[in-house]
């Protein structure tokens, strides 16, 4: 399993975790682990803890006085009253499009996705990309001199969910 495949699996797990937290009221890591396992993700409590820290997940009181996991104030993950299944929600990509001009690229995303996708791109150490700058719904990428747009797109498809 190469590092791109591992990163892609982690990205899918983090996305599933975001969607689970935004669509269910879960108050313990055991409940989160069970929900992730139900979706086909196998991980340890320690990995879950690291994922929660990376996503900046907190606990907040509900109207009933219970404490449940919540995501930081991101418009993409507001709790919904009639949620779809996690698998259905994961079919909706954060990635929208990519365009190039010389050694520059612009990736369009759904609102709130850009910083997470840029973070994953930067951490994947793709040799064709020098770095990224993210806004709310777009990412500016600087491509290494001599790299083709095809090479960049192929490498990104291993890191960015739903990039073809």
């Amino acid at each position: 399993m190469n590092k791109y495949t591992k990163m892609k699996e982690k990205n899918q797990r983090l996305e599933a975790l975001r969607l689970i937290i935004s669509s269910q009221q879960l108050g313990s890591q055991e409940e989160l682990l069970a929900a992730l396992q139900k979706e086909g993700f196998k991980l340890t409590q320690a990995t879950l803890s690291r994922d929660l820290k990376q996503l900046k997940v907190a606990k907040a009181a509900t109207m009933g006085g219970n404490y449940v996991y919540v995501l930081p104030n991101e418009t993409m993950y507001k709790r919904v009253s009639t949620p779809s299944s996690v698998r259905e929600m994961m079919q909706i990509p954060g990635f929208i499009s990519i365009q190039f001009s010389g050694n520059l690229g612009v990736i369009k995303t759904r609102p709130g996705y850009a910083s997470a996708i840029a973070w994953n791109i930067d951490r994947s150490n793709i040799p064709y990309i020098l770095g990224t700058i993210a806004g709310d719904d777009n990412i500016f990428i600087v491509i290494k001199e001599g790299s083709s747009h095809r090479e960049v797109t192929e490498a990104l498809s291993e890191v960015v969910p739903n990039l073809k």
Side-chain angles (χ1 to χ4, degrees):
M1 180 180 305
N2 66 35
K3 66 181 177 182
Y4 295 127
T5 304
K6 286 182 184 179
M7 182 64 76
K8 191 172 188 176
E9 285 178 13
K10 180 178 180 180
N11 292 344
Q12 290 174 340
R13 185 180 72 240
L14 291 175
E15 181 66 5
L17 187 55
R18 285 184 191 104
L19 295 169
I20 288 167
I21 290 170
S22 68
S23 64
Q24 300 176 40
Q25 292 192 359
L26 302 176
S28 72
Q29 288 192 4
E30 292 78 20
E31 291 174 320
L32 285 174
L33 279 171
L36 284 165
Q37 286 174 354
K38 186 176 172 186
E39 297 299 329
F41 295 95
K42 306 256 186 285
L43 63 152
T44 65
Q45 185 274 329
T47 299
L48 177 60
S49 278
R50 286 190 293 274
D51 288 351
L52 293 172
K53 185 175 182 179
Q54 180 179 334
L55 295 175
K56 296 181 172 75
V57 171
K59 276 195 165 181
T62 64
M63 295 296 279
N66 297 322
Y67 284 85
V68 297
Y69 287 104
V70 294
L71 291 159
N73 189 21
E74 294 182 27
T75 56
M76 285 308 306
Y77 299 104
K78 297 289 187 210
R79 195 172 303 280
V80 291
S81 56
T82 55
S84 304
S85 76
V86 171
R87 293 234 182 264
E88 289 170 332
M89 289 187 280
M90 285 185 75
Q91 297 307 309
I92 303 167
F95 168 82
I96 294 174
S97 67
I98 186 168
Q99 292 187 328
F100 298 100
S101 178
N103 72 326
L104 305 176
V106 176
I107 297 174
K108 300 285 186 188
T109 72
R110 288 177 41 204
Y113 272 79
S115 62
I117 291 173
W119 187 89
N120 290 329
I121 292 169
D122 289 338
R123 297 307 172 280
S124 67
N125 296 316
I126 295 172
Y128 314 113
I129 297 176
L130 297 175
T132 65
I133 299 173
D136 182 57
D137 61 359
N138 58 65
I139 304 164
F140 180 74
I141 60 173
V142 179
I143 301 163
K144 188 174 185 178
E145 201 73 37
S147 300
S148 74
H149 297 162
R150 182 187 54 75
E151 289 172 320
V152 172
T153 303
E154 285 177 10
L156 283 171
S157 72
E158 296 293 324
V159 178
V160 179
N162 299 306
L163 188 143
K164 305 281 187 264

